[in-house]
Amino acid sequence: MNIHKTTIHAKCPLNGSWDYYTVSIETDEFIACEQIEELCDFVRGKSLEQERIAKDLHRSLGVKSKLILLGRHGQNTELKVVIE
């Protein structure tokens, strides 16, 4: 099992504040790190909901995988979205 991790940020579409995310991708298939960075660059800095980010990233990977998007919203709120 390969586990890739990176961080991204996006603007909250509700209040415009910055939200920060840890992206974890678990797969038995090969994914080049450059491919993951390219996909993440597409959403970095955009104004998107966490659930939309997770769905878009997972769909764009094109391999069987589990994507975990752990988001930090504001000072104290965390949300975890898991897509398999």
Side-chain angles (χ1 to χ4, degrees), residues 71-79:
R72 180 175 171 134
H73 305 270
Q75 293 182 16
N76 300 308
T77 305
E78 270 189 3
L79 175 61

Side-chain angles (χ1 to χ4, degrees), residues 17-35:
S17 66
W18 287 105
D19 295 330
Y20 296 89
Y21 304 98
T22 300
V23 180
S24 298
I25 300 164
E26 301 176 6
T27 184
D28 288 328
E29 299 185 39
F30 175 80
I31 304 174
C33 293
E34 294 81 5
Q35 178 188 359

